Amino acid sequence: MYARRRRVYFLLMGGCLFLFVSAWAFVRLWSVEAAVALCVVAMVIPPVAAVVANRRGPDDRWWDDPSGDPQSDEWWDELDGKPRRRGDAEP
């Protein structure tokens, strides 16, 4: 899951750099308005890339560490379908 989000992030940021560099390297020679439009599009991409990179999937937990409350942790593990932890006594 993390690798896919990272790949999409780098693709979006690479596209952003490509738009920005191409706008002022050779598009401006034909049309300054088109170069400005490409820069506006490139300006919108980084926030979208950050949202995509930080989005959690439906199977991801909202936190990684146990809360410290054994009853709550057992309940969440049961909901997540995780096996019981070692050292937990049977009730």
Side-chain angles (χ1 to χ4, degrees):
M1 197 60 129
Y2 174 72
R4 184 175 65 206
R5 288 193 316 240
R6 188 177 58 192
R7 189 177 319 119
V8 171
Y9 174 78
F10 283 120
L11 282 173
L12 286 170
M13 292 305 290
C16 175
L17 285 173
F18 174 77
L19 287 173
F20 185 76
V21 169
S22 66
W24 297 112
F26 57 87
V27 174
R28 70 175 170 87
L29 299 174
W30 289 283
S31 172
V32 174
E33 292 83 9
V36 170
L38 285 176
C39 284
V40 169
V41 171
M43 179 182 67
V44 174
I45 293 175
V48 172
V51 168
V52 168
N54 291 313
R55 183 179 47 139
R56 298 245 182 210
D59 295 335
D60 293 341
R61 288 185 72 171
W62 286 84
W63 54 88
D64 297 324
D65 297 328
S67 67
D69 179 18
Q71 185 178 8
S72 175
D73 292 338
E74 181 180 334
W75 184 72
W76 280 110
D77 288 344
E78 181 181 337
L79 285 177
D80 290 341
K82 293 184 178 179
R84 293 179 64 105
R85 295 188 190 116
R86 288 185 181 180
D88 287 347
E90 289 289 331

